[in-house]
Amino acid sequence: MDTAASPLPDDVEALKALLAAALSRADDAEARLAKARARESAIEALIAHLKLQIARLRREQYGASAERSRRLLDQLELQLEDLEADACENDCAAEAAPAKTSEVAAFDRKRPSRKPFPEHLPRERVVIPAPCSCPSCGSARLSKLGEDITETLEVIPRQWKVIRTVREKFSCRDCETITQPPAPFHVVPRGWAGPSFLAMLLFEKYGQHQPLNRQAERFAREGVALSTSTLADQVGAAAFALMPLYRRIEAHVLDAARIHGDDTTVPVMAKGKTDTARLWVYVRDDRPFAGSDPPAVLFHYSRDRRGEHPREHLASWAGILQADAYGGYNELYAPGRQPAPVIEAGCFAHARRKFFELADVEGAARRRSRGGRNGMIYPIALEAVQRLDALFEIERGINGKTPGERVALRQERSAPLMAGLHAWLTAQLAKLSRSHDMAKAINYMLRRWGAFTRFLDDGRICITNNAAERALRCVPLGRKAWLFCGSDRGGQRAAVLYTLIQTARLNDVDPQAWLADVLARIAGHPAHRIDELLPWNWESGRARIAA
């Protein structure tokens, strides 16, 4: 019986050659696969990057976190981080694969250009030892032609130290009087914590949303065991020492002719459960109309949201209040109010938000893809959003101009749009039932039309209350970390520290560096010169002391 001829040669050398060729083809396939994976990862990272840019541009165009885009941006950023890491990992695999073969070129992903490291960082020069002789001929006659420098960013772990302040005693040999230098001032009585440590403690808790128990755990890992109660003592004492600055910022905010107002919830412990308390914010920011006064933020805490709280906060103030339609402000707008009625200015961002929710085309499509119920999409809401967006576009062009210039441009461009919007809203309202969602959104504007049109005649008024919403953003971020305030006193202390930190940020001052300098100086600083320690005077005050 005949047997089929074997496709493999019988010669050993031929078999080795065949095996080597097969291995080479396998290496080529592996290299091509690695190259394809690297290209795919780079494309995915690029798509995620473009999505993130589009989301940011949409958020800038259509408003702040009102459209719930903040959470989407955070998710996109996390996704982008993972995709970039995947792309880099696949790049390394693609670079290693061609080393096994000479036929497939490595995939070269276009990497984002990196900015140079900051000039203020210290540089440590490490010189790799040069050869003593020529590796080619062995000659020792070498001449330096130049050098190549590669910079690598490195970090030194945080260092702790104990400062021992020594006060020597001296006795006079003639009169036997004992003399000794006075003890240095401490911001905390019998204080053991230095000002930089206190500033770090406060900024981590109220600026970076790290509760004291987590800070204590991190300190213990670094070899410094401090109990949470010990740290809490320092926070309370430091907040008390900083109260004069809080009062000066409060006076500065309430000296403005126009302020933004808003509030948000903050959980607070109460007999084994949490109650919903409030943090109120008032923002002075004259930069939109080219004002020269420094911006500032003022926080207040209250156990509830009764209208008596804003009335108490603004008891001695009169001017233009930019806020939402919260009913607790109504008594401030009363004609007989003393010392004078507060003038209401409407927030177009709140008005637009109601229409935007009814015109949420993207959200409806997302719910439909998940099998959820389809919400109604109203063409009227879409047109309302477009009409309001035209007003926002005009405001972006006049931001930073003087009040007179703003009024002139608004009368020329915004006034006709507002007249058309009023007529259109009135006509649409006549077609809707009183309980319709669209009718509620329209009435929100029509019933406050005087407050919404006030910006046409006063260049100091902004059309949104976004300044207050931006200032409040630190509170929701903190709620996710520390979950609740421990007491009413804790809420009041949070209001004080939020005021200081957010005001420093508004003035482009590093809050931690500013707090460290203030805590080092405030105990011995003259009370009549307390304004020198405010964030907007900080650099000039330090320069005066240095001189």
Side-chain angles (χ1 to χ4, degrees), residues 241-479:
L242 293 169
M243 277 300 294
L245 287 177
Y246 174 81
R247 295 302 179 195
R248 290 301 302 139
I249 293 176
E250 179 182 33
H252 176 73
V253 170
L254 298 182
D255 190 46
R258 179 195 66 101
I259 60 174
H260 297 265
D262 204 352
D263 66 283
T264 191
T265 59
V266 54
V268 61
M269 281 295 295
K271 296 182 179 179
K273 62 175 185 177
T274 57
D275 285 345
T276 302
R278 289 277 164 175
L279 274 173
W280 306 79
V281 68
Y282 303 97
V283 180
R284 175 179 185 171
D285 192 351
D286 300 342
R287 293 174 296 181
F289 58 87
S292 58
D293 292 322
V297 181
L298 173 65
F299 280 86
H300 283 291
Y301 167 86
S302 68
R303 189 69 182 212
D304 49 52
R305 205 194 181 198
R306 294 200 300 267
E308 65 188 51
H309 300 300
R311 293 196 296 273
E312 179 184 349
H313 302 157
L314 306 176
S316 60
W317 180 81
I320 302 168
L321 176 62
Q322 302 221 229
D324 57 19
Y326 168 55
Y329 297 131
N330 290 342
E331 290 192 25
L332 295 172
Y333 308 140
R337 188 252 184 186
Q338 296 297 327
V342 172
I343 301 172
E344 180 185 8
C347 174
F348 280 78
H350 280 82
R352 180 187 176 281
R353 192 171 302 162
K354 298 180 181 300
F355 293 110
F356 186 89
E357 291 171 354
L358 296 173
D360 188 8
V361 179
E362 183 181 354
R366 188 165 54 249
R367 289 190 296 271
R368 193 183 308 116
S369 66
R370 296 173 180 172
R373 292 185 58 186
N374 293 335
M376 291 294 294
I377 300 174
Y378 301 101
I380 299 175
L382 284 172
E383 185 171 349
V385 170
Q386 292 170 353
R387 287 174 176 266
L388 292 172
D389 284 348
L391 293 169
F392 280 91
E393 184 64 29
I394 295 172
E395 289 300 308
R396 279 190 282 270
I398 66 175
N399 189 41
K401 296 184 180 295
T402 64
E405 293 172 326
R406 286 157 66 91
V407 167
L409 290 169
R410 284 170 174 174
Q411 289 293 335
E412 176 187 350
R413 302 172 60 187
S414 300
L417 296 181
M418 287 295 293
L421 178 63
H422 185 270
W424 181 80
L425 289 175
T426 304
Q428 301 306 316
L429 184 63
K431 304 174 185 178
L432 301 170
S433 66
R434 185 178 302 176
S435 59
H436 198 283
D437 289 339
M438 276 300 308
K440 295 177 182 178
I442 292 174
N443 277 324
Y444 181 86
M445 290 198 71
L446 291 182
R447 290 173 180 171
R448 302 169 180 83
W449 195 252
F452 278 106
T453 57
R454 192 156 283 127
F455 79 103
L456 296 173
D457 301 314
D458 193 331
R460 299 170 299 173
I461 298 177
C462 297
I463 68 168
T464 72
N465 196 36
N466 288 346
E469 294 195 1
R470 286 192 297 269
L472 274 179
R473 197 170 293 162
C474 61
V475 181
L477 291 174
R479 283 199 302 255

Side-chain angles (χ1 to χ4, degrees), residues 183-210:
F185 286 107
H186 285 285
V187 66
V188 178
R190 299 174 301 279
W192 53 266
S196 294
F197 176 78
L198 287 174
M200 179 188 68
L201 203 64
L202 297 176
F203 182 68
E204 288 287 324
K205 178 174 173 60
Y206 297 101
Q208 300 296 329
H209 322 297
Q210 292 297 309

